[in-house]
Amino acid sequence: MKKIVIFASGSGTNAENIVRYFNKIEVAKVIYIFSNNANAKVLERAKNLNIPTEVFSKEDFIGDKVLQKLNSIQPDLIILAGFLLKFPQNCVAAFPNKIINIHPALLPKYGGKGMYGMNVHRALVENNDPETGITIHYVNENYDEGNIIFQKSVPLSENETPEEVAAKVYELEQQYFPIIIENILNQKS
């Protein structure tokens, strides 16, 4: 059984969706959820799903504490699901092509530092983009610049609000993220 570790900073809806998806199949299990936010709702979701958690500080992340924990777990895949910190080089180097992220836009557009959640959706609306979507990509030392694994787009109409854009993107995330994770794990067999 393959091991998945999730990093999340917020509500954890994608994390919960991934846990539930893999609880139904024999490919892998989510065995740990890490968060840099002691008040993140993802921690409550993890508790309800009987998934162990680890809350860490930015200093723990930049230093070796989180890396030591990951080395002790030896995950097959590390998933960033609404995780807002830049992954440190020591972790990226220790787990090459084993860290993936989901971004709420079609990269390379609307990527980089500060481009997450509603910031992305507002920028799309302000620029009258005709479409948006999701990008699932490998994580490297730069925000949103790792190799793209998968993209799925959805058209936008002229007067959509950032909240309506967010709802469309959320549907794509819920539908495709677990499937793409499963495909990646099957390729690593």
Side-chain angles (χ1 to χ4, degrees), residues 11 116 127 177:
S11 71
Y116 60 88
N127 290 319
F177 204 14

Side-chain angles (χ1 to χ4, degrees), residues 104-124:
L106 299 170
L107 291 173
K109 291 176 88 174
Y110 305 107
K113 186 171 176 63
M115 293 306 287
Y116 60 88
M118 291 306 287
N119 295 345
V120 172
H121 307 313
R122 278 191 287 275
L124 275 151

Side-chain angles (χ1 to χ4, degrees), residues 34-112:
F34 286 76
S35 184
N36 61 309
N37 178 358
N39 299 313
K41 181 132 171 80
V42 70
L43 299 171
E44 182 183 320
R45 291 179 193 275
K47 183 179 179 186
N48 292 338
L49 294 163
N50 297 314
I51 306 290
T53 60
E54 177 96 7
V55 177
F56 59 90
S57 68
K58 192 170 184 178
E59 293 74 29
D60 292 340
F61 198 39
I62 294 167
D64 282 341
K65 187 173 180 189
V66 172
L67 178 58
Q68 287 172 358
K69 183 73 172 184
L70 287 172
N71 282 332
S72 74
I73 295 169
Q74 281 300 302
D76 294 285
L77 203 57
I78 298 168
I79 309 297
L80 310 188
F83 184 66
L84 301 181
L85 294 181
K86 184 174 166 185
F87 236 69
Q89 182 56 38
N90 62 349
C91 290
V92 173
F95 295 94
N97 294 319
K98 288 187 173 186
I99 308 170
I100 66 170
N101 183 37
I102 190 164
H103 187 75
L106 299 170
L107 291 173
K109 291 176 88 174
Y110 305 107

Side-chain angles (χ1 to χ4, degrees), residues 2 22 27 76-79 97-101 136-138 147-150 176-189:
K2 297 207 170 153
F22 284 97
V27 174
D76 294 285
L77 203 57
I78 298 168
I79 309 297
N97 294 319
K98 288 187 173 186
I99 308 170
I100 66 170
N101 183 37
I136 299 169
H137 64 93
Y138 286 105
N147 290 335
I148 293 173
I149 300 163
F150 175 83
Y176 289 101
F177 204 14
I179 293 167
I180 299 305
I181 294 166
E182 181 184 6
N183 290 346
I184 292 166
L185 287 168
N186 285 333
Q187 290 171 9
K188 292 184 181 292
S189 295

